[in-house]
């Protein structure tokens, strides 16, 4: 059942929250600058709590069911993260407090920087970027600053494989680079032939997602990196898929120059219904000086023997690209990622990736006979299947996705990557059990049968969810984007 | 940790895959770099990690232990218990972007409520589902204006009263682009009103950016500036602190084309700088130029009113290198926090907290400007923050008072050369009269070194 909007529930005179009366003499208000309307609802606390609780129950979430949304790493988010991030000494800390009063926060950031260096095989890290795409922008600006610092101003083009996420080309365009799309070869790798054509002295770099968005580790990676470096370009690594590589391989060791992590994927910070993310960027030694301002560093050495800790501070790298947002970054996410890394250690992180890859290959093995796998080889943490069959001509991946909801599963990512027709991109993550994977595979197998025997069952799905398919055309045509009702004047 | 596999599970799965060992799955990876020895501290259990983090946090002195008048873009407000209780519902915080509307109506309807409330507060027609923070929201406004004029109006005028971090962020974003920034490089004095920007506007100007309140806490009427901007064919963007809008005129009334803002003051913890909430609202006619996600109303095939992400053809996953922004993940959960906060407070509560901030700040300003040697920098109206000229370098005063567990404000000398004696003081509903009196006594005591 659809829920009423708050403007419909509002009753004049209801109070939801009471502030104390002023304990100071009141001052005259600035006549002429005051507003005479304030279009907000009037509700009691219980109305608000019920409203949002009931809304929450209309969502599918990791806490309520399997969520194999490819490329998004919807793993379980440990509850302890939510406790540590809310520790008073973190939650109530102002970002501009003097460093003497925020040594705990700075120490935490310093160690997280070091650990991300270690995990990725890099020399320096900025925690400032707010999400993956923001990390991409930061990284591409670093690449541009690097070339500029060498007087190498011709480098205005960037290569992006056709399997890349949309943020890669959008980022590059935002930073003024010309985007050249690289085709993939028949094994899903970067096509070396195509790459060679573009390796010249106008090449700023290449953005590589590895494992790529097909869930495949690029078998040519070392050759790709060698060719780009030989031409004087740098390699940007889109680390959205680091969940496959923790303790398995370090991108910095195989020639990646800049990489962003998604703390909201790999390191278990919650996705929040769309965000917040956190997209730290790690770089090689020669790029450290270009990192955004500020990074955390030791500004006064400590004395271990005397038990004196070092003094941590915020420092601007010498040739910094500048600030990419206000303050230091999504600190609340740093606390969660710190908690997660600390609870795993090196061995635990390797297990994460091993089980993520095991789960994906297990599902692939269960589904291979029923769903066409366009690039069928050992996958990493995810794989891409096709949601179409020659003998079920009306059925699309979207129908498979919608029907899955009837089994209480969130559908896989649809229609991405673009190089696969009717793509279903499946990422189970390491936190799912064999039973869940079996049930999911069985549902998909049943759906494949229905596609032939009862296509209408798919076309009209979902059936058991609180809402059926939506009229997206109507939404775009009528463009009702808010309800600003006429409440009574103040 | 957090993996449910038993040994039996694992063996059965390996058999189904047709391999003997998990390592066999990694054969495509360069052999000589496989399985590096990571130098990380050994794993802790939940009990141990909580203790370690409590110890780390203990080295911080927070706004709860100190008496703090620090604002400058992040404010110590009270967040009602209801806000966090709702945020902690796993159905909200462990979902992602609502790509599948049939099973995401909770998130979608909450976004729609958010869009409605922010549009109403700012006096704009439409609002997106969020940007990263107040700084990147301004950068996105610059981006949008640049694309709106197809690059023909590359000049952007930034008032020096816009938060220094926001202006720096815009510089970083536009460094490699055709955008030309002006206005905050000494062309106009910090103490000038918005009209001082008018002479800088020309036919290459695409956007003028001002703040409300500005970094120094002042409130201006932008009506005259808006007229001049529009006459020249350009757009006006106003960066707001939304708590202010519980009391003061909506920027839409001045004629703003874009309203951006930092939503942290709407129930979001300080958390050492983030995650916060970038507000972005505009006029209906620019909705297709706006970046970010949008929830729109529609119906489902059972005739129920429902919500769905709409106008997605603007976004990176469809337009790729022709998208105006690369934003994908946004600040969803923080937008939810602001929505719950605004719903609970409602019109009376928001007005009440805005008035409390206003009265307390004015009491503080009165008292401080009564001390010998201290003077209010401007006689312009202000909201909950104001700039005070001190009899000594403000950094010294600040450090001195810090020894007494008092953060007296924000010394602005590093951001504004020539302002070494100035202190920016923010007051919220969390500061009691006693705190303020203590600040006043402290400032008096340190006034002559
Ligand atoms: C492969 C890939 N790259 C980049 C991104 C962008 O990351 P974010 O959404 O955190 O900005 C995503 C996210 O969805 C992704 O899957």
């Amino acid at each position: 059942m659809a829920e009423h909007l708050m403007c419909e529930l509002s009753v004049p005179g209801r109070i939801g929250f009471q502030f104390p009366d002023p304990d100071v003499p009141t001052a005259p208000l600035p006549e002429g600058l005051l507003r005479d309307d304030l279009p907000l609802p009037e509700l009691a606390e219980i109305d608000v709590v019920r409203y949002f609780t009931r809304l929450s129950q209309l969502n599918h979430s990791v806490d309520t069911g399997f969520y194999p949304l490819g490329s998004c790493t919807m793993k379980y988010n440990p509850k302890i993260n939510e406790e540590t991030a809310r520790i008073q000494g973190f939650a109530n800390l102002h970002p501009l407090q003097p460093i003497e009063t925020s040594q705990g926060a700075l120490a935490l950031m310093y160690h997280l920087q070091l650990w991300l260096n270690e995990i990725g095989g890099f020399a320096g890290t900025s925690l400032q970027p707010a999400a993956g795409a923001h990390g991409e922008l930061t990284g591409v600006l670093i690449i541009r600053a690097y070339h500029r610092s060498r007087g190498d101003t011709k480098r205005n083009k960037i290569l992006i494989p056709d399997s890349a996420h949309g943020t890669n080309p959008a980022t590059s365009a935002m930073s003024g680079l010309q985007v050249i799309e690289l085709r993939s070869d028949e094994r899903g790798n970067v096509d070396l032939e195509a790459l060679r054509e573009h390796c010249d002295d106008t090449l700023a770099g290449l953005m590589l997602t590895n494992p790529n968005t097909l869930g495949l580790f690029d078998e040519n990676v070392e050759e790709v990196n060698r060719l780009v470096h030989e031409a004087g370009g740098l390699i940007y690594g889109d680390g959205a898929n680091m969940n496959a590589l923790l303790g398995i391989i370090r991108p910095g060791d195989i020639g990646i120059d800049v990489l962003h992590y998604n703390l909201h994927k790999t390191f278990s910070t919650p996705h929040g219904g769309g965000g917040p993310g956190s997209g730290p960027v790690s770089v090689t030694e020669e790029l450290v000086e270009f990192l955004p301002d500020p990074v955390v560093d030791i500004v006064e050495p400590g004395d271990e023997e005397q038990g004196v800790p070092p003094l941590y501070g915020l420092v601007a790298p010498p040739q910094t690209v500048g600030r990419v947002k206000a303050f230091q970054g999504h600190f609340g996410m740093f606390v969660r990622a710190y908690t997660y890394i600390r609870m795993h250690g090196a061995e635990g992180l390797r297990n994460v990736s091993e089980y993520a890859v095991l789960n994906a290959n297990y599902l692939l093995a269960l589904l291979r006979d029923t769903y066409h796998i366009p690039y069928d080889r050992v996958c990493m943490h995810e794989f891409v299947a096709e949601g179409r069959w020659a003998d079920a001509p009306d059925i699309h991946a979207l129908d498979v996705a919608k029907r899955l909801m009837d089994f209480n599963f969130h559908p896989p990512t649809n229609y991405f990557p673009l190089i696969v027709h009717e793509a279903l991109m499946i990422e189970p993550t390491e936190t799912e059990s064999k039973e869940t994977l079996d049930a999911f595979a069985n549902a998909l197998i049943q759906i494949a049968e229905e596609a032939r025997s009862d296509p209408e069952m798919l076309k009209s799905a979902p059936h058991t969810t609180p809402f059926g398919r939506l009229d997206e055309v109507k939404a775009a045509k009528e463009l009702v984007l808010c309800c600003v009702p006429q409440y009574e004047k103040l | 940790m957090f993996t449910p596999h038993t040994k039996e599970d694992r063996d059965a799965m390996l058999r189904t895959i047709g391999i003997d060992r998990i390592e066999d799955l990694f054969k495509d990876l360069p052999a000589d770099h496989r399985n590096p020895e990571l130098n990380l501290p050994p794993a802790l259990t939940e009990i141990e990690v909580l203790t370690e983090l409590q110890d780390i946090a203990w080295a911080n002195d927070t706004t709860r232990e100190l008496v703090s008048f620090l604002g400058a873009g992040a404010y110590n407000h009270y967040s009602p218990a209801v806000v966090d209780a709702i945020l902690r519902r796993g159905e909200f915080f462990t979902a992602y972007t609502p790509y599948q509307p049939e099973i995401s109506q909770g998130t979608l309807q909450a976004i729609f409520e958010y869009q409605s409330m922010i549009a109403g507060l700012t006096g704009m027609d439409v609002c997106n589902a969020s940007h990263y923070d107040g700084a990147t929201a301004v950068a996105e406004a610059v981006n949008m204006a640049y694309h709106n004029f197809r690059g023909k109006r590359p000049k952007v005028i930034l008032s020096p009263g816009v938060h220094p971090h926001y202006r720096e962020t815009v510089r970083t974003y536009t460094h490699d682009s055709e955008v030309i920034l002006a206005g905050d490089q000494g062309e106009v004095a910090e103490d000038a009103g918005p009209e001082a920007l008018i002479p800088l506007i020309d036919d290459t100007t695409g956007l003028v950016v001002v703040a409300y309140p500005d970094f120094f806490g002042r409130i201006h009427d932008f009506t005259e500036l808006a007229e001049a901007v529009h006459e020249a064919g350009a757009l006006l963007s106003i960066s707001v602190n939304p708590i202010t809008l519980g009391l003061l005129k909506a920027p839409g009334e001045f004629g703003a084309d874009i309203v951006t803002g930092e939503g942290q003051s709407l129930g979001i913890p300080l958390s050492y700088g983030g995650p916060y909430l970038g507000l972005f609202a505009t006029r209906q006619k620019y909705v297709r130029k706006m970046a970010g996600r949008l929830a729109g109303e529609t119906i489902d095939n059972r005739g129920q009113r429902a919500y769905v992400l709409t106008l997605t053809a603007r976004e990176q996953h469809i337009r790729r290198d022709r998208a105006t922004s690369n934003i994908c993940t946004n600040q969803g959960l923080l937008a939810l926090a602001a929505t719950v906060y605004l719903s609970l407070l409602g019109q009376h509560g928001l007005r009440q907290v805005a008035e409390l901030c206003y009265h307390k700040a004015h009491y503080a300003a009165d008292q401080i400007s009564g001390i010998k040697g201290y003077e209010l920098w401007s006689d312009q109206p202000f909201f909950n923050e104001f700039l005070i000229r001190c009899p000594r370098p403000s950094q010294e005063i600040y450090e001195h008072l810090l020894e007494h567990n008092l953060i007296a404000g924000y010394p602005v000398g590093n951001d504004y050369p020539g302002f070494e004696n100035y202190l920016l003081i923010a007051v919220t509903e969390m500061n009691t009269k006693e705190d303020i009196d203590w600040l006043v006594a402290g400032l008096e005591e340190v006034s002559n070194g």
Side-chain angles (χ1 to χ4, degrees):
Chain A
M1 237 262 300
E3 292 291 330
H4 285 296
L5 290 167
M6 276 185 292
C7 55
E8 296 156 353
L9 298 170
S10 176
V11 176
R14 289 241 162 95
I15 302 285
F17 190 81
Q18 187 64 46
F19 285 95
D21 291 332
D23 56 354
V24 296
T26 58
L29 298 175
E31 297 297 336
L33 283 170
L34 299 179
R35 71 188 299 161
D36 59 4
D37 73 308
L38 195 50
L40 293 174
E42 294 174 79
L43 300 165
E45 179 167 330
I46 186 169
D47 301 330
V48 174
V49 169
R50 284 214 179 121
Y51 178 68
F52 286 102
T53 303
R54 290 167 68 127
L55 281 191
S56 77
Q57 291 169 337
L58 301 177
N59 273 358
H60 185 93
S61 65
V62 176
D63 278 3
T64 51
F66 186 39
Y67 209 132
L69 189 66
S71 207
C72 299
T73 314
M74 303 300 290
K75 62 171 72 180
Y76 172 68
N77 304 144
K79 297 297 171 195
I80 184 66
N81 290 352
E82 299 308 309
E83 297 304 322
T84 53
R86 285 169 174 82
I87 293 173
Q88 197 277 126
F90 295 135
N92 295 312
L93 197 62
H94 191 289
L96 297 173
Q97 275 188 217
I99 58 168
E100 293 78 7
T101 66
S102 44
Q103 282 300 300
L106 291 166
L108 184 145
M109 290 172 67
Y110 182 79
H111 286 106
L112 185 57
Q113 287 175 187
L114 288 185
W115 296 346
L116 292 178
N117 288 344
E118 178 67 17
I119 290 166
F122 291 102
T125 294
S126 162
L127 300 175
Q128 199 178 48
H134 204 217
E136 290 173 31
L137 179 66
T138 306
V140 171
L141 292 173
I142 289 171
I143 290 175
R144 299 211 72 178
Y146 165 80
H147 291 311
R148 200 181 316 112
S149 76
R150 298 156 48 98
D152 196 351
T153 51
K154 284 198 302 284
R155 298 189 179 268
N156 62 357
K157 75 177 186 200
I158 191 153
L159 306 179
I160 299 182
D162 54 7
S163 56
H165 193 263
T167 50
N168 289 191
T171 296
S172 299
M174 261 173 103
S175 50
L177 288 171
Q178 187 201 343
V179 175
I180 295 180
E181 193 175 276
L182 273 188
R183 64 173 181 266
S184 305
D185 70 15
E186 70 286 351
R187 287 183 60 78
N189 300 317
V190 169
D191 189 306
L192 292 175
E193 201 104 336
L195 172 60
R196 280 197 194 91
E197 274 169 41
H198 295 291
C199 281
D200 56 34
D201 62 358
T202 65
L203 183 63
L206 177 145
M207 293 183 91
L208 190 70
T209 310
N210 198 17
N212 64 21
T213 62
L214 298 164
L216 303 175
F217 193 87
D218 196 304
E219 296 158 309
N220 301 333
V221 62
E222 288 180 298
E223 183 62 4
V224 168
N225 296 351
R226 198 182 60 74
L227 286 170
V228 171
H229 285 150
E230 256 176 30
L234 297 181
I235 304 279
Y236 182 88
D238 179 333
N241 296 340
M242 276 301 288
N243 211 44
L245 300 185
L246 304 173
I248 306 286
I249 213 150
R250 310 198 310 167
D253 290 347
I254 56 169
I256 307 292
D257 298 291
V258 195
L259 177 113
H260 81 257
Y261 297 91
N262 296 67
L263 298 188
H264 49 302
K265 298 177 181 176
T266 315
F267 297 102
S268 83
T269 79
H271 287 76
S278 181
V281 165
S282 295
V283 297
T284 56
E285 191 69 51
E286 30 174 25
L287 299 178
V288 168
E289 58 184 321
F290 301 103
L291 283 172
D293 171 23
V295 292
V296 179
D297 209 344
I298 291 177
V299 291
E300 248 175 58
D303 184 335
E304 228 169 282
E305 273 170 33
Q306 304 285 315
V308 181
L311 185 71
Y312 299 98
L314 294 165
V315 178
Q319 299 212 60
T320 178
V321 294
R323 225 174 225 300
V324 294
K325 70 187 293 300
F327 310 121
Q328 287 81 250
H330 286 174
F331 181 78
M333 302 299 121
F334 308 157
V335 180
R336 291 170 173 91
Y338 182 106
T339 306
Y340 185 79
I341 294 173
R342 199 68 184 87
M343 286 184 77
H344 282 81
E347 194 50 41
L349 289 182
R350 178 173 307 146
N351 277 333
V352 163
S353 289
E354 286 182 347
Y355 282 113
V357 173
L358 177 70
N359 276 1
N361 278 284
Y362 177 67
L363 259 186
L364 176 59
L366 297 180
L367 294 172
R368 179 176 281 129
D369 295 339
T370 318
Y371 285 77
H372 180 237
I373 309 296
Y375 299 87
D376 192 3
R377 51 186 176 95
V378 173
C379 69
M380 293 285 104
H381 63 305
E382 64 190 356
F383 62 95
V384 180
E386 285 184 359
R388 61 167 180 173
W389 299 271
D391 55 350
D394 292 339
I395 295 297
H396 297 279
L398 186 76
D399 304 311
V400 176
K402 299 300 182 194
R403 180 70 178 127
L404 265 173
M405 296 177 188
D406 288 332
F407 297 82
N408 195 27
F409 295 121
H410 193 285
T413 296
N414 272 174
Y415 300 107
F416 173 70
L418 305 179
I419 57 172
V420 174
H421 297 289
E422 302 292 338
L424 291 168
M425 185 192 212
I426 303 173
E427 179 180 12
T429 85
E430 73 283 3
T431 57
E432 298 300 330
S433 66
K434 179 172 175 297
E435 291 91 320
T436 300
L437 303 178
D438 288 339
F440 180 70
N442 288 340
L444 274 173
I445 291 165
Q446 180 184 329
I447 292 169
E449 281 163 22
E450 289 171 355
R452 282 76 164 215
S453 62
D454 186 6
E456 192 47 34
M457 186 61 120
L458 274 65
K459 284 280 164 206
S460 55
H463 307 275
T464 61
T465 52
F467 288 80
R469 289 199 200 188
L470 279 80
D471 187 344
E472 299 190 13
V473 175
K474 176 180 160 79
K477 206 165 90 195
E478 296 177 4
L479 273 192
V480 178
L481 302 174
C482 56
C483 101
V484 182
Q486 292 303 311
Y487 294 107
E488 278 174 51
K489 297 266 177 197
L490 282 168
Chain B
M1 276 319 280
F2 310 116
T3 48
H5 305 70
T6 62
K7 187 177 176 314
E8 290 70 33
D9 291 339
R10 197 185 59 204
D11 293 346
M13 292 167 81
L14 289 171
R15 269 197 307 281
T16 304
I17 298 169
I19 54 172
D20 297 328
R21 302 171 319 151
I22 292 186
E23 294 89 90
D24 297 345
L25 297 170
F26 295 100
K27 283 187 177 149
D28 287 343
L29 281 59
D32 42 346
H33 294 295
R34 240 182 283 155
N35 295 336
E37 215 40 68
L38 296 185
N39 179 17
L40 295 174
L44 297 182
T45 62
E46 178 169 325
I47 298 176
E48 294 163 315
V49 84
L50 184 59
T51 308
E52 174 167 310
L53 279 149
Q54 278 164 339
D55 286 347
I56 295 173
W58 192 73
N60 296 327
D61 296 316
T62 71
T63 53
R64 293 292 186 270
E65 291 113 13
L66 302 162
V67 171
S68 173
F69 294 90
L70 194 51
Y75 300 90
N76 179 26
H77 288 289
Y78 185 76
S79 182
V82 168
V83 176
D84 199 44
I86 298 297
L87 290 200
R88 278 189 174 234
R89 289 199 65 92
E91 299 94 326
F92 279 129
F93 87 79
T94 72
Y96 203 13
T97 308
Y99 297 117
Q100 300 288 349
E102 297 85 351
I103 50 173
S104 313
Q105 282 301 307
T107 296
L108 283 159
Q109 188 163 328
I111 295 173
F112 186 80
E113 294 281 15
Y114 168 82
Q115 290 171 184
S116 302
M117 290 199 271
I118 300 300
L121 264 186
T122 56
M124 291 283 112
D125 305 322
V126 292
C127 163
N128 74 12
S130 67
H131 278 292
Y132 304 135
D133 69 355
T136 62
V138 174
E140 293 282 358
V142 168
N143 220 336
M144 178 177 126
Y146 181 78
H147 287 280
N148 181 59
F149 297 113
R150 297 170 197 283
K152 296 204 179 74
R153 287 174 167 267
K155 181 165 152 184
V156 172
I157 299 171
L158 297 174
S159 157
V162 174
H163 195 296
H165 286 188
Y166 298 11
R167 289 184 282 114
E168 274 178 54
T169 301
V170 170
R171 288 214 144 69
T172 307
Y173 267 60
T174 56
H175 188 280
D176 295 306
S177 79
E178 312 280 313
V179 171
I180 300 159
L181 300 176
D184 66 339
Q185 301 296 299
E187 301 97 315
V188 296
E190 282 82 1
D191 60 356
E195 293 72 30
L197 297 171
I198 295 175
L200 303 181
I201 303 170
D202 58 24
D203 61 2
T204 69
T205 304
L207 187 72
V208 177
V209 186
V210 293
Y212 180 70
D214 70 7
F215 185 69
F216 309 110
R218 293 174 305 175
I219 301 294
H220 290 104
D221 185 324
F222 296 110
T223 313
E224 203 181 318
L225 175 65
E227 276 164 20
V229 169
H230 293 149
E231 205 156 295
L235 305 182
L236 177 65
S237 181
I238 303 185
S239 168
V240 302
N241 172 358
I243 286 275
T244 317
L245 304 181
L247 183 63
L248 301 175
K249 265 192 183 152
E253 282 190 56
F254 299 127
D257 301 288
I258 303 170
V259 178
T260 64
E262 175 49 72
Q264 178 271 328
S265 52
L266 303 176
I268 295 168
L270 286 167
S271 189
Y272 204 50
Y276 292 169
L277 170 64
L279 311 178
F280 196 105
T282 186
R283 304 272 178 204
Q284 187 80 32
K285 62 178 166 184
Y286 302 118
V287 65
R288 286 182 169 77
K289 304 280 166 64
M290 177 167 65
R293 308 212 189 272
L294 272 173
E297 192 171 290
T298 185
I299 53 169
D300 75 352
N301 61 9
R302 305 169 202 166
Q304 306 181 96
R305 180 174 64 187
Y307 300 90
V308 65
L309 293 178
T310 192
L311 295 188
T312 55
R314 302 163 295 121
E315 295 184 56
Q316 46 75 27
H317 62 282
I318 312 264
R319 286 198 86 107
R320 299 182 73 86
D321 60 334
R322 287 173 302 120
T324 53
S325 168
N326 64 349
I327 189 165
C328 179
T329 295
N330 59 18
Q331 302 294 112
L333 198 67
L334 295 312
L336 177 67
T339 310
V340 178
Y341 181 86
L342 290 171
S343 317
L344 186 70
L345 265 60
Q347 44 177 286
H348 295 289
L350 192 68
R351 175 79 183 218
Q352 211 187 356
V353 67
E355 283 191 15
L356 267 179
C357 294
Y358 180 90
H359 292 312
K360 287 179 185 245
H362 283 73
Y363 172 73
D366 271 355
Q367 298 294 309
I368 295 167
S369 51
I371 319 170
K372 192 163 162 292
Y374 291 86
E375 193 185 357
L376 263 179
W377 170 65
S378 164
D379 54 12
Q380 192 67 30
F382 62 94
F383 177 63
N384 74 327
E385 200 162 20
F386 54 89
L387 196 62
I388 278 281
R389 199 192 61 204
C390 307
R392 300 166 51 192
S394 56
Q395 184 71 33
E396 286 175 26
I397 290 183
Y398 167 85
E399 282 171 16
H400 209 100
L401 292 178
L402 191 59
E403 287 168 22
H404 302 279
N405 288 337
L406 178 65
I407 302 186
Y410 180 73
V412 299
N414 283 339
D415 301 282
Y416 293 92
F419 281 70
E420 285 72 17
N421 275 27
Y422 288 84
L423 191 64
L424 184 63
I425 295 175
V427 188
T428 72
E429 78 280 9
M430 302 298 278
N431 298 112
T432 60
K433 176 170 180 293
E434 207 183 345
D435 292 348
I436 298 169
D437 291 341
W438 196 40
L439 170 69
V440 174
L443 289 172
E444 183 157 23
E445 199 180 303
V446 297
S447 63
N448 29 17

